[in-house]
Coordinates of all heavy atoms in Angstrom, one line a residue:
Q71 N 247.1 5.9 4.7 CA 246.1 6.8 4.2 C 246.1 8.1 5.0 O 245.7 9.2 4.5 CB 244.7 6.2 4.3 CG 244.5 5.0 3.4 CD 244.2 5.4 2.0 OE1 244.4 6.5 1.6 NE2 243.6 4.5 1.2
C138 N 234.1 7.7 7.3 CA 235.5 8.0 7.0 C 236.4 6.8 7.0 O 237.2 6.6 6.1 CB 235.9 9.1 7.9 SG 237.6 9.8 7.6
I141 N 235.7 4.5 4.0 CA 236.3 5.0 2.8 C 237.8 4.7 2.7 O 238.3 4.2 1.7 CB 236.1 6.5 2.7 CG1 234.7 6.9 2.4 CG2 237.0 7.1 1.5 CD1 234.4 8.4 2.4
L142 N 238.5 4.8 3.9 CA 239.9 4.5 3.9 C 240.2 3.0 3.7 O 241.2 2.6 3.1 CB 240.5 4.9 5.3 CG 240.4 6.4 5.6 CD1 241.1 6.6 7.0 CD2 241.0 7.2 4.6
L163 N 231.8 14.6 7.8 CA 232.8 13.7 7.1 C 233.9 14.6 6.6 O 235.1 14.2 6.8 CB 232.1 12.9 6.0 CG 233.1 12.2 5.0 CD1 233.8 11.1 5.7 CD2 232.3 11.7 3.8
A164 N 233.6 15.7 5.9 CA 234.7 16.6 5.4 C 235.5 17.1 6.6 O 236.7 17.3 6.5 CB 234.0 17.7 4.6
A167 N 237.8 14.4 7.7 CA 238.8 14.2 6.7 C 240.0 15.2 6.9 O 241.1 14.9 6.7 CB 238.2 14.3 5.3
E168 N 239.6 16.5 7.2 CA 240.6 17.5 7.4 C 241.4 17.2 8.7 O 242.6 17.3 8.8 CB 240.0 18.9 7.5 CG 241.1 20.0 7.7 CD 240.4 21.3 7.9 OE1 239.4 21.4 8.5 OE2 241.0 22.3 7.4
A171 N 243.6 14.2 8.5 CA 244.5 14.3 7.3 C 244.3 13.2 6.3 O 245.2 12.5 5.8 CB 246.0 14.3 7.8
V172 N 243.0 13.1 5.9 CA 242.7 12.1 4.8 C 241.9 12.7 3.7 O 241.0 12.1 3.1 CB 241.9 10.9 5.4 CG1 242.8 10.0 6.3 CG2 240.7 11.3 6.2
L173 N 242.1 14.0 3.5 CA 241.3 14.8 2.5 C 241.4 14.2 1.1 O 240.4 14.1 0.4 CB 241.7 16.2 2.5 CG 241.1 17.1 3.6 CD1 241.7 18.5 3.6 CD2 239.6 17.2 3.5
P174 N 242.6 13.8 0.6 CA 242.7 13.2 -0.7 C 241.8 12.0 -0.9 O 241.1 11.9 -1.9 CB 244.2 12.9 -0.9 CG 244.9 13.8 0.1 CD 243.9 14.0 1.2
A175 N 241.8 11.1 0.0 CA 241.1 9.8 -0.1 C 239.6 10.1 -0.1 O 238.8 9.6 -0.9 CB 241.4 8.9 1.0
V176 N 239.1 10.9 0.9 CA 237.7 11.3 1.0 C 237.2 12.1 -0.2 O 236.1 11.8 -0.7 CB 237.4 12.0 2.3 CG1 236.0 12.5 2.4 CG2 237.7 11.1 3.5
S177 N 238.0 13.0 -0.6 CA 237.6 13.9 -1.8 C 237.5 13.0 -3.0 O 236.5 13.2 -3.8 CB 238.7 14.9 -2.0 OG 238.4 15.7 -3.2
K178 N 238.4 12.1 -3.3 CA 238.4 11.2 -4.4 C 237.1 10.4 -4.4 O 236.4 10.3 -5.5 CB 239.6 10.3 -4.5 CG 239.6 9.4 -5.7 CD 240.9 8.5 -5.6 CE 240.9 7.5 -6.8 NZ 242.2 6.7 -6.7
Y179 N 236.8 9.8 -3.3 CA 235.6 9.0 -3.2 C 234.3 9.8 -3.3 O 233.4 9.4 -4.0 CB 235.6 8.2 -1.9 CG 234.7 6.9 -2.0 CD1 235.2 5.7 -2.4 CD2 233.3 7.0 -1.8 CE1 234.4 4.6 -2.6 CE2 232.5 5.9 -1.9 CZ 233.1 4.7 -2.3 OH 232.3 3.6 -2.5
Y180 N 234.3 11.0 -2.7 CA 233.1 11.8 -2.8 C 232.8 12.3 -4.2 O 231.7 12.2 -4.7 CB 233.3 13.1 -1.9 CG 232.1 13.9 -1.7 CD1 231.3 13.7 -0.6 CD2 231.8 14.9 -2.6 CE1 230.1 14.5 -0.4 CE2 230.7 15.7 -2.5 CZ 229.8 15.5 -1.4 OH 228.7 16.3 -1.2
R181 N 233.9 12.6 -4.9 CA 233.7 13.1 -6.3 C 233.1 11.9 -7.2 O 232.3 12.1 -8.0 CB 235.0 13.5 -6.9 CG 235.5 14.8 -6.4 CD 237.0 15.0 -6.8 NE 237.5 16.3 -6.3 CZ 237.6 17.4 -7.0 NH1 237.0 17.4 -8.3 NH2 238.1 18.5 -6.6
R182 N 233.7 10.7 -6.9 CA 233.3 9.6 -7.7 C 231.9 9.1 -7.5 O 231.2 8.7 -8.4 CB 234.3 8.5 -7.5 CG 234.2 7.3 -8.5 CD 235.3 6.3 -8.5 NE 235.3 5.5 -7.3 CZ 236.2 5.4 -6.3 NH1 237.3 6.2 -6.5 NH2 236.1 4.7 -5.3
C183 N 231.5 9.1 -6.2 CA 230.2 8.4 -5.8 C 229.1 9.3 -5.4 O 227.9 8.9 -5.6 CB 230.5 7.4 -4.7 SG 231.7 6.1 -5.1
W184 N 229.4 10.5 -4.8 CA 228.3 11.2 -4.2 C 228.1 12.6 -4.7 O 227.1 13.3 -4.4 CB 228.5 11.3 -2.7 CG 228.6 10.0 -2.0 CD1 228.0 8.8 -2.4 CD2 229.4 9.7 -0.9 NE1 228.4 7.8 -1.6 CE2 229.2 8.3 -0.6 CE3 230.2 10.4 0.0 CZ2 229.8 7.6 0.4 CZ3 230.8 9.8 1.0 CH2 230.6 8.4 1.3
Q185 N 229.0 13.2 -5.4 CA 229.0 14.6 -5.8 C 227.7 14.9 -6.6 O 227.0 15.8 -6.3 CB 230.2 15.0 -6.6 CG 230.2 16.5 -7.0 CD 231.5 16.9 -7.6 OE1 232.4 16.0 -7.9 NE2 231.6 18.1 -8.0
I210 N 231.7 21.7 2.6 CA 232.1 20.5 1.9 C 232.9 20.8 0.7 O 234.0 20.2 0.4 CB 230.9 19.7 1.5 CG1 230.1 19.1 2.7 CG2 231.2 18.5 0.6 CD1 228.8 18.5 2.4
G211 N 232.5 21.8 -0.1 CA 233.2 22.1 -1.3 C 234.6 22.7 -1.1 O 235.5 22.4 -1.8
L212 N 234.7 23.5 -0.1 CA 236.0 24.1 0.2 C 237.0 23.0 0.6 O 238.2 23.0 0.2 CB 235.9 25.1 1.3 CG 235.2 26.4 1.0 CD1 234.9 27.2 2.2 CD2 236.1 27.2 0.0
L213 N 236.6 22.1 1.5 CA 237.6 21.1 2.0 C 237.8 20.0 1.0 O 239.0 19.5 0.9 CB 237.0 20.4 3.3 CG 237.0 21.3 4.5 CD1 236.5 20.5 5.7 CD2 238.4 21.9 4.8
L214 N 236.8 19.6 0.2 CA 237.0 18.5 -0.7 C 237.3 19.0 -2.1 O 237.5 18.1 -3.0 CB 235.7 17.6 -0.8 CG 235.3 17.0 0.6 CD1 234.1 16.0 0.4 CD2 236.5 16.3 1.3
G215 N 237.5 20.3 -2.3 CA 237.9 20.8 -3.6 C 236.9 20.6 -4.7 O 237.2 20.1 -5.8
L216 N 235.7 21.2 -4.5 CA 234.6 21.1 -5.5 C 234.3 22.5 -6.0 O 233.5 23.2 -5.4 CB 233.3 20.5 -4.9 CG 233.6 19.2 -4.1 CD1 232.2 18.7 -3.4 CD2 234.1 18.1 -5.0
P217 N 234.9 22.9 -7.2 CA 234.8 24.3 -7.7 C 233.3 24.7 -7.8 O 233.0 25.9 -7.4 CB 235.5 24.2 -9.0 CG 236.5 23.1 -8.9 CD 235.7 22.1 -8.1
L384 N 237.2 28.8 -6.9 CA 238.2 28.0 -6.1 C 239.6 28.0 -6.7 O 240.6 28.0 -6.0 CB 237.7 26.6 -6.0 CG 238.3 25.7 -5.0 CD1 238.2 26.3 -3.6 CD2 237.7 24.3 -5.0
R388 N 242.7 29.5 -4.5 CA 243.8 28.6 -4.1 C 245.1 29.0 -4.7 O 246.1 29.0 -4.1 CB 243.4 27.2 -4.4 CG 242.4 26.5 -3.5 CD 242.2 25.1 -3.8 NE 241.4 24.4 -2.8 CZ 241.1 23.1 -2.9 NH1 241.5 22.4 -3.9 NH2 240.4 22.5 -1.9

Side-chain angles (χ1 to χ4, degrees):
Q71 297 275 19
C138 184
I141 291 174
L142 299 184
L163 168 66
E168 181 186 37
V172 292
L173 281 172
V176 173
S177 176
K178 179 180 179 181
Y179 202 91
Y180 189 93
R181 289 168 179 266
R182 188 170 75 239
C183 299
W184 302 331
Q185 186 174 359
I210 293 170
L212 287 168
L213 290 185
L214 302 187
L216 311 176
L384 193 58
R388 285 184 170 180

